[in-house]
Amino acid sequence: MKRILYITRAAPYPTNFGGGQRSNLILQALRELGEVDLILIGRPSFITDEHLQILRDEYGMIAHGVPTQAREKGLWPLIEKVIGLVTTKRLAHNMDGSRARLGRDHRLIQQLGKALNPEGYDFVFGRYAAALGNLGGIRNVPTLLDVDDLDSDVYESRINLAKNAFQRTVLRWHKRNIELGLKRIVADVDHTFVSNPSNRGFPGLEDASVLPNIPFAKSDEVRPFVAPNADSKTVMVIGSYDYEPNVQGVDWLVEKVWPAVHRRMPQAVLKIYGSNMADSMKSRWNAVVGVVAIGFADSLEQAYRDAAISVCPVLRGAGSNIKIIESAAHGRVCLLTQAAARGYKDDEELAALLPVAETAEAMAELIVHFLSHAAERDTMSAQLHRVAAERYSRRGFIDTVHRAVHSTVVEGSVDA
């Protein structure tokens, strides 16, 4: 059994958000190989002190540190005294933030102290480039890195949505900084994983293993296919609403798409599920006729069972949204925006089963179509369920991690 140091910027608990689910699945894979010590970097607002204690008691967390913000470095604290917190925070982010996020963080390293000592471990597994970049890299121990989606792709999608030349210039500055930082970090690790096959076109990731985002599971049992109720007129969307692109996407769906659906099909209902839904969001969405903003779902199984179809309405991001494969695993057609479909363009079989809308009008048309044609919907739902079971399974995910670890740690090289 091996000793493993797992350094991540996304906590493997709780698992009510996509980043945490992938972190947990990686931890499951690593625990099949040996004893895992966890170092957690960062703390989103929804991570409570109780969560941190559970991470210590049940997930092997030996240290936790919070990265230094750009406004806390250099001359920014002095500048803040003159121009105030809000302006300083904005300036520091736009001028230094994208460099600081991937750069060495001396204060963080001091916080982690003696726990940050890779000696005695058989290998180190990093989750997100920033996790290792903040630590200045790992030396003298085989190191694997889960890049997941490229942050540069996220900024590319934001550039495409920019409203003016100034915004595009700032966003291109961030994208360039991220690409430079990522190249530096990737050059220092022995093997990488990406969730999107197209990301292997990025310099240094040519030999990366593709580790796709999959539905969260703690066992290899595959749920049976259950066709939607033929009479169902329920559409569902799910996400974590502490993530701005999810909020913006649902706003677009509710404000720009749903009124057109309601005019043509008054009996249709849009149910919005997900964690960290603020009361203001719930009120805003519930104010639209035919929309029910529910929030956290006690049972995703039941939520999907009640729905005829799902929608992934994100307008920006890297593209490999877990909710798409999750919907497929539950046997439900998922309608996508172009931004949401980007991460699956290289999977021809799956892409052929993912209806994509370029505009709000086209999305409304797709929703009405699939609510009206049960036979077509059922056939596509069954095909999606099969693809998810065959190619996006927990066991396949874990085996991919194991093969890369074996090749990197035991053999010293990887066949991607």
Side-chain angles (χ1 to χ4, degrees):
M1 298 291 281
K2 299 188 180 301
R3 291 199 68 226
I4 304 159
L5 181 61
Y6 182 25
I7 305 171
T8 177
R9 283 186 68 117
Y13 176 86
T15 55
N16 57 1
F17 67 109
Q21 291 174 2
R22 184 175 175 94
S23 291
N24 190 291
L25 286 163
I26 290 171
L27 181 60
Q28 291 182 46
L30 297 178
R31 280 181 162 176
E32 289 190 8
L33 298 174
E35 179 183 345
V36 184
D37 287 338
L38 172 72
I39 291 179
L40 175 63
I41 296 176
R43 181 177 179 177
S45 59
F46 59 83
I47 298 290
T48 66
D49 289 343
E50 182 181 355
H51 291 143
L52 290 177
Q53 191 58 50
I54 291 172
L55 285 165
R56 295 185 189 97
D57 294 341
E58 301 179 21
Y59 291 85
M61 188 174 79
I62 60 171
H64 170 237
V66 178
T68 309
Q69 297 182 39
R71 68 175 181 84
E72 298 173 315
K73 298 181 178 181
L75 296 175
W76 291 114
L78 294 176
I79 295 172
E80 182 180 326
K81 294 179 180 179
V82 178
I83 64 176
L85 171 61
V86 175
T87 303
T88 302
K89 188 175 182 179
R90 185 174 298 140
L91 283 173
H93 169 74
N94 285 324
M95 296 178 69
D96 292 332
S98 51
R99 289 182 295 186
R101 189 170 187 275
L102 293 174
R104 187 182 182 92
D105 186 336
H106 296 280
R107 192 174 78 177
L108 173 64
I109 292 170
Q110 289 181 340
Q111 284 182 38
L112 298 177
K114 295 181 180 179
L116 186 60
N117 180 10
E119 293 184 13
Y121 291 100
D122 293 286
F123 67 92
V124 174
F125 195 109
R127 167 112 166 85
Y128 290 129
L132 299 187
N134 288 161
L135 305 180
I138 301 296
R139 303 289 183 269
N140 304 320
V141 177
T143 306
L144 298 92
L145 171 65
D146 177 41
V147 176
D148 200 347
D149 283 321
L150 288 180
D151 283 346
S152 54
D153 281 1
V154 175
Y155 272 91
E156 183 64 33
S157 72
R158 293 184 65 184
I159 291 168
N160 294 335
L161 293 172
K163 297 178 181 179
N164 54 57
F166 176 75
Q167 285 186 354
R168 284 190 291 274
T169 299
V170 172
L171 292 169
R172 288 192 180 107
W173 162 256
H174 287 310
K175 181 174 181 285
R176 177 180 177 275
N177 287 335
I178 288 169
E179 289 173 342
L180 290 173
L182 183 58
K183 289 176 184 177
R184 182 186 69 251
I185 294 165
V186 166
D188 281 341
V189 303
D190 297 289
H191 188 65
T192 52
F193 301 86
V194 294
S195 59
N196 185 340
S198 66
N199 289 161
R200 293 199 289 190
F202 187 88
L205 296 179
E206 295 87 353
D207 296 324
S209 295
V210 177
L211 187 65
N213 282 314
I214 67 166
F216 181 66
K218 292 185 177 180
S219 75
D220 295 330
E221 183 179 357
V222 177
R223 64 176 53 83
F225 172 67
V226 178
N229 185 315
D231 298 323
S232 176
K233 296 295 184 287
T234 298
V235 180
M236 70 171 286
V237 61
I238 188 167
S240 181
Y241 300 109
D242 63 319
Y243 183 53
E244 185 182 13
N246 286 341
V247 178
Q248 292 177 339
V250 173
D251 279 338
W252 174 81
L253 179 63
V254 170
E255 296 169 9
K256 304 295 185 182
V257 177
W258 199 255
V261 174
H262 179 73
R263 284 194 297 271
R264 295 180 57 184
M265 189 174 282
Q267 68 273 40
V269 177
L270 173 63
K271 293 185 178 181
I272 306 172
Y273 298 95
S275 58
N276 304 303
M277 184 185 293
D279 290 340
S280 59
M281 299 174 197
K282 189 173 290 189
S283 298
R284 182 168 75 244
W285 296 332
N286 277 329
V288 177
V289 177
V291 176
V292 181
I294 296 170
F296 184 76
D298 292 329
S299 171
L300 271 186
E301 203 77 33
Q302 190 59 49
Y304 278 105
R305 186 71 61 92
D306 291 342
I309 57 175
S310 72
V311 179
C312 181
V314 296
L315 303 176
R316 60 184 174 91
S320 57
N321 298 281
I322 183 58
K323 56 182 72 71
I324 296 167
I325 302 299
E326 182 180 82
S327 184
H330 283 87
R332 294 298 180 266
V333 173
C334 186
L335 312 183
L336 314 182
T337 58
Q338 284 187 315
R342 186 181 299 115
Y344 297 99
K345 63 183 180 181
D346 293 325
D347 186 336
E348 295 182 2
E349 185 177 8
L350 179 63
L353 299 170
L354 298 175
V356 179
E358 298 184 11
T359 64
E361 293 78 12
M363 180 62 79
E365 185 70 31
L366 280 178
I367 291 172
V368 171
H369 176 83
F370 280 98
L371 290 180
S372 304
H373 295 80
E376 178 185 350
R377 184 181 70 216
D378 290 356
T379 298
M380 189 177 290
S381 297
Q383 292 172 319
L384 280 165
H385 181 267
R386 175 186 57 78
V387 170
E390 290 177 356
R391 302 219 308 279
Y392 293 87
S393 68
R394 175 183 177 273
R395 182 43 50 188
F397 184 101
I398 288 176
D399 287 347
T400 297
V401 174
H402 288 180
R403 284 194 300 269
V405 168
H406 179 80
S407 298
T408 304
V409 178
V410 178
E411 299 176 1
S413 64
V414 171
D415 293 321

